[in-house]
Amino acid sequence: MKTFLWRIAGAVAVAACLAPAPAEAQAPIKVGASLSLTGTYAQPGSYQKEGYELCADHLNAKGGLLGRKVEFVFYDDQSMPATGVRLYEKLITEDKVDAVMGPYSSPITEAVANVSEKYQKVMVSPLAATTSIFKKGRKYIFMVISPAEAYLEGLVDMAAKRGLKTIAVVNEDTLFTKASAVGVAEIAKKKGMQVVFQEAYPKGNTDFSALLTKLKAANPDVIAASTYFDDAVAITRQMKELNVSAKMYGVTVGGDLPKFYDLLKQNAEYVYGSTQWEGTLPYPGQKEFVDSYQKKFGHEPVYHSAAGYAGCVIYAEGVRRAGSLDSDKVRDQLLKLETRTFFGDYKVDPDGFQTAHKMVMFQWQDGKKVTVWPDDLASGKPRFPTPGWGQR
Amino acid sequence: MKRWFFAGLVVTLAALALYPMQGTGYGVRTVLQLFMWIALAQSWNLISGLTGYVSFGHVAFFGMGAYTAGILVTKLGWPWLLACLAGGVMAMVLALVIGWPCFRLKGPYFAIAMLGLNEVLRVIVSYFEGLTGGGSGLSMPTLLHASVPIYYAMGLTALLVTGLTYIIITSRFGLRLMTIREDEVAAEAMGIDTFRYKLYAFLLSAAGPGIVGGLAARDQGYIEPMSVFPLITTITMIVMVLFGGKGTIWGPVLGAVLLFTFQEIVWARFIYLHQLFFGGIIVAVVLLMPRGILGVLQQKYNLPRTI
């Protein structure tokens, strides 16, 4: 009996080996990415990962890329540049991925870009917004979102149009937030506003009372906070506790996450936020993206997920046009490419620096994000001016 | 026994020296970072394992080295190897500045001062933007194919720090340090100038982190205050030493190799759980084998103190 079973097993094994390989059994295209799934950037990093995943699903549903399935290989860089560098080495030299996509955040992209350059791999980096990364003579890195300097342009523009004169700028003292703070201060000066207070706080700071007390003394019309998520929440909360108010108050990253409103409830009302993208913007393919995302992950996409998805779509378009995975051919196509996706416009200069994509400003109104800037994309009017904390 | 050990050591070193010819970019970078952890853990062992003065801010020397090297390379165009050695020197200068007042006191002052030092340095680095780039970090000129030379420099540093530990532990100097650890008052009564010896040990323990900090910075090509002064680096050093066996020669090496390998091979597969595992190991080591793996072996098999 035992031998009989063995024989059957053997026969099956032989048959399996001899059977002709199915037609689509061409090896899948492996795309590598290491993201911040734990540590400081865990939240946005996870959203970005979901964007990549959905993009792979959609590419595969349409028959893959160059007739091959697309598969992602993910790692966690723990929000540390040193780990990111090592993991991209692993992706490229050990896992031998066919392509890489960028990590989350500017500091990590800045470090990792040295690895992708070394192996001459095209790296579309959908969530690096710091100009300097792209202006160092690197050849293979591509930017998708608007630069950090443009994040709060809308806030200043709206304020200047309403005749506001003074602005206070605070920022976390790291690569992206600092560039964004410098940018907003410059735009404000250009528009004839006066920067009456400017101060940075270290990353991981939780007590903003000293900073806010000084800010209150400067009595600005506008408060621009260049933040990530945790500090955006903490600053808003402590502004209420210390009764610091301004006619307009806007934050950069973090203010757009649904969790921002969940944590702050009515205290998030009237807060302006800037984002690279909103699900309600009139771009082509918007509804399909939002619906399928909602269906797959059970929650709404935020701009990190959308940017991840868009970056992956743009890379895929480059590959399709090049008809190959060869880095130099794809690079040529990506430099030439001009397109409008659900995420907005894409066009880069010869350094791979994004020049076409537009930022939007929204305001929290009755628990919803209403796009209020720029005018051609706006879905509502800003509620202006922001009343005191008691009346929100 | 001793001969076998020596032969094994020579074979291991030869294999590591030849590895870059065979290894992939990832392999080289991983072993390079392992060397870094060995040098860091071993250096922490020099001061804290031997004298019992626990340093909670050893990453400060790492960061000092990283920024010294980074600035010298970026602003003055120094060759990186020289810049990294300068990083080691600056770390020792910093150790002198901190150690001089702290070691005149006994007890927990040193631990608290070191904890603060790290935070102070981070703030200082963020403040002097013109020199350090502040929160935007310092981006060094791109150096694409330096992994292998940095691998050797890092390996050599790890080897030298371990050699230094061997020399110290087998010498009268080491005995004096351990006497301080066991009973400082008694040590003084025996005529040991405790201040001087603690300071010497501290200076020696700062050089290694300074050099590897510079090397790590050059390898990564980009540094910022958050990534070179994280508390977790100090904690990892401490856990590696405790795990392997503090106050021994090979304990820190063993701890670094085991924990780093675990992290790389096993925990990488459990993205959301690896920090929990790490915490679990800390608790388990403290509760079950406070003297580390080598400590347990020493007791059980009656091994010599100089292991």
Side-chain angles (χ1 to χ4, degrees):
Chain A
M1 186 62 195
K2 214 170 183 182
T3 24
F4 176 67
L5 279 180
W6 273 115
R7 269 185 201 158
I8 290 193
V12 170
V14 170
C17 290
L18 292 179
E24 71 269 33
Q26 228 184 339
I29 295 177
K30 278 206 286 182
V31 184
S34 145
L35 295 161
S36 305
L37 303 176
T38 57
T40 332
Y41 304 133
Q43 179 115 34
S46 307
Y47 284 131
Q48 183 182 355
K49 176 168 176 268
E50 291 176 350
Y52 285 166
E53 283 173 354
L54 187 68
C55 169
D57 283 3
H58 284 181
L59 286 173
N60 291 336
K62 286 182 197 143
L65 195 54
L66 305 178
R68 293 163 66 183
K69 260 185 82 180
V70 176
E71 252 175 33
F72 265 95
V73 181
F74 289 116
Y75 291 116
D76 171 26
D77 61 33
Q78 304 165 324
S79 307
M80 296 285 290
T83 315
V85 166
R86 194 169 77 234
L87 290 173
Y88 274 86
E89 286 269 8
K90 183 177 169 70
L91 286 166
I92 296 171
T93 67
E94 299 249 299
D95 302 335
K96 303 226 180 323
V97 294
D98 300 288
V100 289
M101 290 291 302
Y104 179 73
S105 90
S106 293
I108 298 177
T109 308
E110 167 75 91
V112 159
N114 291 336
V115 178
S116 57
E117 284 293 306
K118 178 164 94 177
Y119 296 102
Q120 307 185 340
K121 286 269 178 196
V122 163
M123 184 165 78
V124 176
S125 298
L127 283 146
T130 308
T131 307
S132 59
I133 298 173
F134 301 88
K135 295 291 180 188
K136 290 181 71 182
R138 291 179 171 134
K139 267 181 80 181
Y140 295 98
I141 185 164
F142 288 88
M143 188 177 187
V144 173
I145 54 180
S146 303
E149 288 82 356
Y151 261 66
L152 290 169
E153 185 187 349
L155 187 73
V156 176
D157 189 56
M158 284 187 285
K161 274 186 193 143
R162 285 170 177 75
L164 302 187
K165 289 277 175 266
T166 54
I167 184 168
V169 181
V170 297
N171 69 285
E172 183 193 278
D173 194 9
T174 54
L175 191 53
F176 156 75
T177 40
K178 198 169 141 197
S180 145
V182 170
V184 69
E186 260 167 34
I187 298 169
K189 279 178 210 151
K190 256 186 222 150
K191 294 200 184 276
M193 290 176 75
Q194 198 191 346
V195 181
V196 291
F197 180 81
Q198 184 157 18
E199 197 167 303
Y201 53 86
K203 178 166 158 182
N205 196 31
T206 51
D207 179 9
F208 297 92
S209 50
L211 178 95
L212 289 172
T213 310
K214 275 188 274 178
L215 187 152
K216 192 177 181 181
N219 193 26
D221 292 334
V222 183
I223 300 172
S226 184
T227 57
Y228 281 101
F229 178 74
D230 292 339
D231 44 340
V233 172
I235 290 176
T236 311
R237 197 171 268 156
Q238 290 174 31
M239 275 172 68
K240 181 185 160 115
E241 283 158 12
L242 297 166
N243 194 25
V244 179
S245 194
K247 294 196 179 77
M248 292 176 91
Y249 161 54
V251 298
T252 56
V253 182
D256 62 306
L257 300 181
K259 217 174 147 193
F260 183 76
Y261 197 90
D262 292 347
L263 284 172
L264 289 166
K265 300 282 182 315
Q266 83 277 5
N267 293 328
E269 288 290 324
Y270 297 95
V271 175
Y272 295 87
S274 75
T275 181
Q276 299 276 356
W277 170 87
E278 269 304 310
T280 50
L281 295 176
Y283 287 132
Q286 188 74 270
K287 199 175 151 7
E288 291 84 338
F289 168 73
V290 175
D291 289 351
S292 55
Y293 188 94
Q294 180 104 37
K295 199 171 149 215
K296 184 168 164 75
F297 300 108
H299 58 89
E300 277 187 19
V302 296
Y303 94 76
H304 307 97
S305 4
Y309 184 97
C312 165
V313 165
I314 287 163
Y315 175 74
E317 185 59 31
V319 171
R320 206 170 287 133
R321 291 187 184 203
S324 137
L325 285 163
D326 179 80
S327 263
D328 287 296
K329 286 183 189 152
V330 176
R331 172 175 181 264
D332 288 344
Q333 293 302 325
L334 286 175
L335 285 175
K336 269 191 270 175
L337 185 66
E338 267 181 64
T339 183
R340 168 170 279 199
T341 65
F342 77 99
F343 190 67
D345 296 324
Y346 167 90
K347 181 183 175 1
V348 292
D349 73 2
D351 294 320
F353 178 77
Q354 184 57 237
T355 54
H357 187 261
K358 275 203 191 69
M359 292 296 303
V360 294
M361 289 298 302
F362 63 84
Q363 186 182 33
W364 284 103
Q365 298 181 357
D366 303 320
K368 294 238 156 19
K369 284 182 284 186
V370 177
T371 312
V372 294
W373 186 91
D375 293 339
D376 54 331
L377 296 172
S379 63
K381 288 226 164 331
R383 292 183 179 164
F384 177 86
T386 301
W389 285 102
Q391 291 123 48
R392 297 187 196 179
Chain B
M1 176 71 189
K2 212 166 188 181
R3 193 182 295 161
W4 280 112
F5 179 76
F6 189 69
L9 190 64
V10 169
V11 170
T12 311
L13 286 179
L16 286 172
L18 294 174
Y19 180 68
M21 292 174 199
Q22 276 296 316
T24 60
Y26 164 69
V28 169
R29 228 173 190 130
T30 304
V31 180
L32 177 160
Q33 293 195 356
L34 175 60
F35 288 154
M36 180 187 93
W37 284 113
I38 292 176
L40 287 176
Q42 197 65 276
S43 298
W44 187 84
N45 184 42
L46 265 182
I47 178 71
S48 302
L50 289 180
T51 69
Y53 274 77
V54 176
S55 165
F56 281 122
H58 236 59
V59 69
F61 301 124
F62 178 83
M64 187 73 180
Y67 266 99
T68 306
I71 290 167
L72 288 174
V73 166
T74 323
K75 312 270 166 177
L76 301 177
W78 281 35
W80 59 264
L81 198 55
L82 209 57
C84 293
L85 290 176
V89 173
M90 284 305 288
M92 287 175 85
V93 172
L94 180 68
L96 189 65
V97 172
I98 289 296
W100 191 267
C102 282
F103 283 128
R104 294 190 175 275
L105 304 163
K106 293 182 185 63
Y109 300 101
F110 172 70
I112 294 166
M114 286 308 291
L115 197 58
L117 174 68
N118 187 29
E119 300 300 310
V120 170
L121 266 189
R122 182 159 68 210
V123 173
I124 290 177
V125 164
S126 305
Y127 185 77
F128 288 102
E129 260 175 49
L131 197 60
T132 63
S136 311
L138 195 62
S139 185
M140 280 161 248
T142 323
L143 188 66
L144 293 183
H145 300 282
S147 285
V148 174
I150 291 173
Y151 172 96
Y152 286 116
M154 202 73 104
L156 199 62
T157 313
L159 189 65
L160 287 177
V161 179
T162 308
L164 186 68
T165 311
Y166 174 79
I167 293 171
I168 290 176
I169 288 188
T170 51
S171 71
R172 291 173 66 92
F173 176 46
L175 263 182
R176 285 178 183 140
L177 294 180
M178 286 182 260
T179 315
I180 294 173
R181 179 182 69 197
E182 300 306 327
D183 191 335
E184 192 163 351
V185 178
E188 263 169 17
M190 285 193 297
I192 296 174
D193 185 349
T194 55
F195 167 70
R196 203 153 55 102
Y197 284 105
K198 285 187 287 186
L199 193 61
Y200 288 164
F202 192 48
L203 288 182
L204 291 174
S205 82
I211 296 171
V212 297
L215 292 171
R218 182 64 277 198
D219 181 46
Q220 208 175 301
Y222 169 74
I223 49 174
E224 44 142 8
M226 286 312 291
S227 67
V228 298
F229 292 112
L231 187 61
I232 184 76
T233 303
T234 305
I235 295 175
T236 311
M237 281 184 228
I238 298 177
V239 174
M240 282 171 171
V241 177
L242 293 186
F243 190 58
K246 65 175 191 290
T248 62
I249 298 168
W250 295 104
V253 180
L254 191 67
V257 171
L258 287 180
L259 284 182
F260 188 79
T261 315
F262 265 130
Q263 185 153 23
E264 204 55 25
I265 296 173
V266 184
W267 301 342
R269 293 175 213 288
F270 304 98
I271 288 177
Y272 295 99
L273 287 177
H274 56 191
Q275 285 171 337
L276 195 71
F277 286 152
F278 197 65
I281 286 208
I282 298 180
V283 175
V285 165
V286 171
L287 288 179
L288 300 176
M289 41 178 205
R291 295 186 58 202
I293 296 177
L294 280 190
V296 169
L297 293 179
Q298 267 175 343
Q299 239 166 2
K300 206 163 176 185
Y301 299 104
N302 213 4
L303 295 175
R305 174 180 55 79
T306 55
I307 189 173

